[in-house]
Amino acid sequence: MYLFERLSGRYETEIVPGVSSMMAAAAALGRPLAARNDVLSVVPGPLDDETMRSRIDAAGAVAIIKVGRHFHRIRALIEAMGLTACAGYVERVSLPEQRVLPLSAVAEDVAPYFSMILIY
């Protein structure tokens, strides 16, 4: 979206719809984003812990995006909330180097920019 904003006024551009990374991540994990009457919340990783906690508490299912350099802090918050067993981790979804793991199996304390955590 940032490239489009910067270049579309000077160059011919086209937006091509595709599968969103959240849908691809849920498919890679083999589970739904949300079910029945669940409220799906998309929560940006840079949010502070208090705001993130309240948004997770209010949701039935959560996609935490832009995890990147916030991974250690976000994982600690999810652990403190007792949700680790419900959380899946996906990085570089749909790319050749894709990784799909339960959050509890991630050994590193850092994550690439193109990573997300789904809680369901």
Side-chain angles (χ1 to χ4, degrees):
M1 90 179 155
Y2 301 117
L3 289 174
F4 179 80
E5 288 174 358
R6 292 179 115 183
L7 301 176
S8 64
R10 296 183 300 193
Y11 301 96
E12 184 176 333
T13 57
E14 178 183 2
I15 297 174
V16 179
V19 176
S20 77
S21 59
M22 284 181 288
M23 289 181 206
L29 285 164
R31 60 190 214 190
L33 275 174
R36 297 178 197 86
N37 295 330
D38 289 342
V39 173
L40 171 65
S41 292
V42 180
V43 178
L47 286 179
D48 63 88
D49 284 1
E50 184 178 325
T51 303
M52 189 176 292
R53 178 186 289 272
S54 68
R55 294 197 181 169
I56 293 170
D57 280 339
V62 179
I64 303 174
I65 61 172
K66 302 177 185 176
V67 172
R69 61 189 173 102
H70 307 281
F71 179 71
H72 180 75
R73 177 182 57 80
I74 294 168
R75 178 166 46 183
L77 175 64
I78 291 168
E79 288 173 359
M81 295 178 74
L83 297 173
T84 302
C86 306
Y89 171 82
V90 181
E91 68 182 42
R92 297 181 177 101
V93 68
S94 78
L95 297 174
E97 61 274 16
Q98 165 180 297
R99 284 181 61 200
V100 180
L101 301 163
L103 182 60
S104 60
V106 180
E108 301 84 3
D109 269 342
V110 295
Y113 178 77
F114 290 116
S115 59
M116 75 176 66
I117 297 169
L118 298 182
I119 303 171
Y120 175 72

